[in-house]
Amino acid sequence: MSVRKLRYFLETHGLLIFGLLLVSCMALAAVCAPWLAGYDPLRIDPDAILLPPCLAHPLGTDALGRDVFSRMLYGARVSLQVGLVSVGISISIGTGVGLTAGWFRGLADECLMRFVDIMLCFPTFFLILAVIAFLEPSLLNIMIVIGLTSWMGTARLVRAETLSLREREFILAARLSGAKTARILLRHILPNAAAPVLVSATLGVGGAILTESGLSFLGIGVQYPNPSWGNILIEGKETLGVAWWLSLFPGLAILCAVLGYNLLGDGLRDLLDRRSR
Amino acid sequence: MSFWFYLLSALVSVCAALYFLAPAGRRTGGGALFAGRVLRKCLWVFAVFIGITLVGFFVIHLAPGSPTDLQTTMNPLADIGAQQRLAAFYGLDRPLHEQYALWLKRLLQLDFGNSMSSDSRPVMEKIAERLPLTLWINVITLFFTLVLSIPIGVYAAKRRGGLFDKATTLFVFLGFAMPGFWLSLLLMVKFSIELQWLPLSGLVSVDHAGLSAPGKALDIAKHLALPVFVSTFGSLAGMSRFMRASMLDVLRSDFILTARAKGLPERLVLFRHALANALLPLITILGLSVPGLIGGSVILEYIFSLPGMGQLFYSAVMARDYPLIMGNLVLGAVLTLAGNLLADVAYGLADPRIRSGFAANTNSR
C-alpha cells in the first residue's frame, strides 16, 4: 500500500521532486564549497591560462588561470545568499503590507494598494540598476535593493487571503475570546495564508538569482575578484569563440538553479493549493 | 514624447466631458458608467505617474554619491570650491523638495533639462534618437510572440496532458529559467563566430553607407535577428502559458458546451467561440508586460551593442547623469502607463459586458 502511495506521489509530483533535487544540489554545492573546490577561487596561475576542461580542472580555467569549477562553487554561495536574503526581505515587507491592508481596510488599504500599483508600474530593473550603481555595488546592497523592489506580488496575495480569512468564524471566535489584533494576525491569519506565501517565496528565489546574475553580468553586481555566475559570464563574453567553457557552464548553472526553484514552487502550489487546476 | 502627453490629456478631457455631460439620470447606467470607469482610470494613471517620478527622484537624489564627484574627486586639480560651484551650477545645492518642484514644473513644459555629460545636450533630444530602435525591437518581438504563443496555447489547451502540452510545458519552464544574456552568448558563438551567418553586434555594418536600399534593410535585419530572437524567446514562455490557461478557462464555460452540443465542427468551436474569448485577458497581460520589456532592453542592448534606450540608460547611470536618468525613468513610466491605459480601454471596447456596464464589478486591473 505504502509503496503504491509512494509511486502515485512520484508520478503526480515528479516535477516537484526534480526541482527539489536541483535545489538541494545547489545548496550542497554552496555549503560545501570550501571542501569540494580543489583550488582557491581567487588564485591566479600563470601556467594554466585558458585550459579547456581536463582532469585537473574539470570545467577548465579562465584567462588568469583560475579554476572555473572552484569559482562556480563559490558563485553558488553568492546566488543562494542573494536568493534567500532578498526573498526574506520581500516576503517580510509583502506580508506586513498585505496583512495591514487586508485587516484594517479603508484608508490604509487604499493608500497601501495604490503604492503597490505605483511600484508595479515601475520599470523595476531601471531602478535597481540606478540604485546599485550609485551605492557601492556590494552583495548586501544588491540583496536589499532586489528585496525592496519585489514585494508587491506577495502583498497583493496576502491582502486577498486576509480579506477572505477575516470574515471566517474562527476569527470571530478569536475576537470574542478577547485576542489582541496582533495575536489574531500572527497566530490565526498568517498561518492560514502561509501556503501561497511559501509558493511565491520559492518562485521569488529564482527571480532574484536571475536578477543578480544579470547585474553581475553588467558589471555592477558582485565585484571583480570575487566570483559569481554572472561575472564569470563576463569573462565568457570577452573570450567568446575562444573559451566556450567560460560561457557554457555558468549559464547552465543559473538555468538549473532557477529551473529548480521554479519547479519546486510550481509543485508546491499543486501540492498545497486545493483549488488549483 | 509630446505625442503621448497630448494623447493622454486628450483622453482625460474626452472622458471627463463624456461623464459630466451625460444627463444625471443616465450616469448610473450604460455608456456613462464606462466613461466613469475610464475617468477613474485616467485619474489613477495621473496619480501613479506622479508617484513614480516622486519615488524615482528621491531615491536617485538621496543615494550617496553625486554627479559632481566624477568630475572633481577624480581630478587632482579641483578643490572643494570647484565642487560647490559645480553643484550650484546644476542646482544641486538647493533643498530636495525645491529641486523636485522645479523639475516637475519643467516637465509640465515638456522640458527634461540638459544632460550633465560634457556635451550637455537636451535630454529629450538624446532620448528621441535612441527610442525608435528600442520600440521597434519590442514591437517586432511582440508580433512574433503573439503569432507563436496564440497557436501554441490553443493547441496545448486542446489536448490537455497530451504530448504537445507536455512538450510546451517543458519549454515554458526552460524559457522562464533561461537567462537571456546566456542564450545570447551561445547564439553569438554558434551563428556569428562558428557559422559566420550573422554579424556579432552593433546595428549596421562598417560598409552600411555604401549599400543599396534593400541591402541596407537586409543589413539591419541581419543585425537584429539575434536580439529579436532572444527577446521573443524570453517572453514566449509566459505568453503561451497564459494563453493556455486562458483557453482552458474558456473551454470550461457553458457556451462551449452549447456550441459542441449543437454540432459545430471542433475547428469552429476552438477558433471562433473559444479563442475570441480567450484573447480578452491577453490584452491586459500585454499592457502589464511593458516594464519587463523596457528593463530587459538594458541587458539585451548591452550584449549586442545596440544604440537603444537601454544602453543610454546604462551609460547615464554609470555617469550619474541625473536629468538623463530621470528622463529615462519618466519615459519608461509613460510607456508603461500608456500600455496599461490602452489595454484597459481596448478591453472595454472588446468586451461588450464591460462596455455596457453589466459586469461593472469585474475589475480588469
Side-chain angles (χ1 to χ4, degrees):
Chain A
M1 185 60 195
S2 71
V3 175
R4 266 178 67 192
K5 257 189 177 169
L6 191 71
R7 254 189 72 186
Y8 177 74
F9 184 81
L10 279 181
E11 266 166 27
T12 41
H13 297 289
L15 288 177
L16 173 78
I17 306 288
F18 185 57
L20 200 62
L21 209 69
L22 285 176
V23 168
S24 9
C25 277
M26 181 198 170
L28 198 73
V31 172
C32 304
W35 297 284
L36 289 176
Y39 301 84
D40 179 353
L42 304 182
R43 201 192 64 162
I44 294 170
D45 183 358
D47 294 330
I49 284 172
L50 287 180
L51 286 181
C54 56
L55 270 180
H57 302 278
L59 300 185
T61 60
D62 65 9
L64 294 175
R66 294 171 300 189
D67 182 48
V68 174
F69 180 63
S70 309
R71 286 178 72 71
M72 277 183 49
L73 286 175
Y74 281 88
R77 288 194 149 186
V78 170
S79 294
L80 196 65
Q81 260 175 304
V82 169
L84 295 183
V85 175
S86 57
V87 165
I89 296 173
S90 79
I91 289 292
S92 313
I93 300 177
T95 310
V97 169
L99 281 178
T100 317
W103 182 259
F104 294 105
R105 298 194 291 191
L107 191 62
D109 182 25
E110 194 64 25
C111 291
L112 287 172
M113 285 304 115
R114 291 299 78 81
F115 186 60
V116 166
D117 283 345
I118 293 175
M119 291 299 291
L120 276 178
C121 279
F122 232 105
T124 321
F125 197 74
F126 270 27
L127 190 71
I128 296 178
L129 204 66
V131 174
I132 295 286
F134 275 68
L135 304 168
E136 290 298 301
S138 75
L139 200 54
L140 186 68
N141 286 338
I142 292 170
M143 297 191 286
I144 293 176
V145 173
I146 294 180
L148 286 180
T149 47
S150 58
W151 50 272
M152 292 82 73
T154 318
R156 282 192 164 178
L157 216 66
V158 174
R159 172 180 173 268
E161 289 286 319
T162 313
L163 277 177
S164 84
L165 284 172
R166 77 193 295 280
E167 308 297 338
R168 301 269 288 272
E169 279 89 356
F170 69 94
I171 298 296
L172 191 65
R175 280 163 91 173
L176 278 174
S177 50
K180 296 226 168 59
T181 308
R183 188 181 162 83
I184 294 180
L185 284 179
L186 295 179
R187 294 296 299 273
H188 298 281
I189 293 202
L190 197 53
N192 282 296
V197 173
L198 186 66
V199 171
S200 88
T202 316
L203 295 174
V205 175
I209 292 176
L210 265 185
T211 309
E212 183 274 327
S213 60
L215 286 173
S216 290
F217 183 72
L218 285 178
I220 53 177
V222 173
Q223 285 306 293
Y224 174 61
N226 296 317
S228 109
W229 292 343
N231 75 20
I232 303 176
L233 274 174
I234 302 183
E235 292 157 35
K237 186 185 181 225
E238 279 158 7
T239 52
L240 208 62
V242 184
W244 54 268
W245 55 93
L246 277 177
S247 35
L248 182 66
F249 296 124
L252 208 57
I254 300 172
L255 180 74
C256 289
V258 179
L259 189 66
Y261 279 102
N262 285 353
L263 287 175
L264 191 61
D266 229 55
L268 280 178
R269 179 183 302 157
D270 288 345
L271 196 65
L272 299 173
D273 190 359
R274 269 156 281 144
R275 288 161 299 177
S276 86
R277 296 142 281 172
Chain B
M1 181 59 222
S2 54
F3 169 72
W4 287 114
F5 181 78
Y6 290 121
L7 185 74
L8 215 74
S9 36
L11 264 176
V12 172
S13 41
V14 166
C15 298
L18 266 179
Y19 184 68
F20 290 110
L21 290 180
R26 286 196 48 219
R27 258 183 223 174
T28 43
L33 199 97
F34 174 59
R37 267 178 61 86
V38 177
L39 177 69
R40 271 227 312 279
K41 188 78 187 174
C42 288
L43 281 177
W44 173 81
V45 160
F46 184 70
V48 170
F49 179 75
I50 294 294
I52 289 181
T53 59
L54 207 63
V55 173
F57 194 89
F58 279 81
V59 163
I60 284 164
H61 283 248
L62 284 176
S66 129
T68 57
D69 284 357
L70 288 181
Q71 293 174 40
T72 51
T73 52
M74 308 274 167
N75 184 353
L77 294 175
D79 58 357
I80 300 290
Q83 193 168 353
Q84 280 165 356
R85 281 198 300 281
L86 209 54
F89 175 71
Y90 288 129
L92 295 172
D93 53 344
R94 300 230 198 129
L96 208 53
H97 62 271
E98 263 181 44
Q99 287 184 45
Y100 178 70
L102 192 70
W103 179 81
L104 202 61
K105 205 175 121 194
R106 285 223 202 111
L107 186 69
L108 290 181
Q109 299 157 355
L110 293 178
D111 175 14
F112 284 82
N114 290 340
S115 162
M116 284 184 182
S117 66
S118 49
D119 58 4
S120 56
R121 287 167 57 209
V123 168
M124 185 95 113
E125 210 178 289
K126 279 194 152 182
I127 291 180
E129 62 187 29
R130 298 295 193 101
L131 186 62
L133 179 61
T134 304
L135 280 185
W136 269 115
I137 292 180
N138 282 327
V139 167
I140 299 171
T141 299
L142 217 53
F143 172 76
F144 281 121
T145 309
L146 285 180
V147 164
L148 291 172
S149 67
I150 292 175
I152 289 178
V154 171
Y155 282 110
K158 184 184 168 196
R159 293 244 166 85
R160 190 185 179 189
L163 192 65
F164 184 73
D165 190 24
K166 282 194 175 131
T168 48
T169 304
L170 186 74
F171 161 79
V172 163
F173 272 111
L174 280 180
F176 272 132
M178 179 81 77
F181 49 94
W182 182 53
L183 184 63
S184 314
L185 287 185
L186 295 186
L187 291 174
M188 282 160 99
V189 170
K190 189 76 207 163
F191 292 103
S192 308
I193 297 179
E194 282 181 12
L195 296 175
Q196 305 241 326
W197 286 355
L198 297 167
L200 194 55
S201 62
L203 182 60
V204 292
S205 307
V206 187
D207 57 352
H208 183 75
L211 293 172
S212 59
K216 276 181 180 167
L218 186 70
D219 187 42
I220 291 182
K222 270 182 162 180
H223 280 88
L224 288 185
L226 285 185
V228 168
F229 179 83
V230 171
S231 177
T232 308
F233 188 84
S235 43
L236 195 56
M239 207 64 99
S240 57
R241 193 75 183 160
F242 186 81
M243 196 58 218
R244 172 181 176 271
S246 177
M247 266 310 265
L248 283 176
D249 211 42
V250 172
L251 283 177
R252 236 182 263 134
S253 45
D254 289 342
F255 66 85
I256 296 296
L257 194 66
T258 312
R260 285 198 174 129
K262 72 180 181 188
L264 281 185
E266 188 64 16
R267 187 174 42 85
L268 274 185
V269 175
L270 273 185
F271 286 97
R272 176 94 31 98
H273 293 241
L275 184 60
N277 285 284
L279 281 177
L280 283 176
L282 203 69
I283 298 176
T284 315
I285 288 295
L286 282 182
L288 285 175
S289 66
V290 178
L293 288 176
I294 296 174
S297 65
V298 177
I299 294 189
L300 200 69
E301 286 168 13
Y302 172 80
I303 300 176
F304 290 104
S305 312
L306 294 171
M309 217 176 93
Q311 208 191 46
L312 182 70
F313 185 74
Y314 181 72
S315 55
V317 160
M318 284 305 161
R320 300 192 176 175
D321 193 339
Y322 284 166
L324 197 51
I325 295 174
M326 282 310 294
N328 269 293
L329 267 181
V330 166
L331 192 65
V334 167
L335 286 178
T336 307
L337 288 172
N340 222 300
L341 194 67
L342 284 180
D344 226 48
V345 173
Y347 199 106
L349 292 178
D351 190 341
R353 282 167 303 187
I354 286 184
R355 192 170 54 222
S356 63
F358 279 122
N361 54 352
T362 48
N363 192 349
S364 63
R365 197 163 69 219

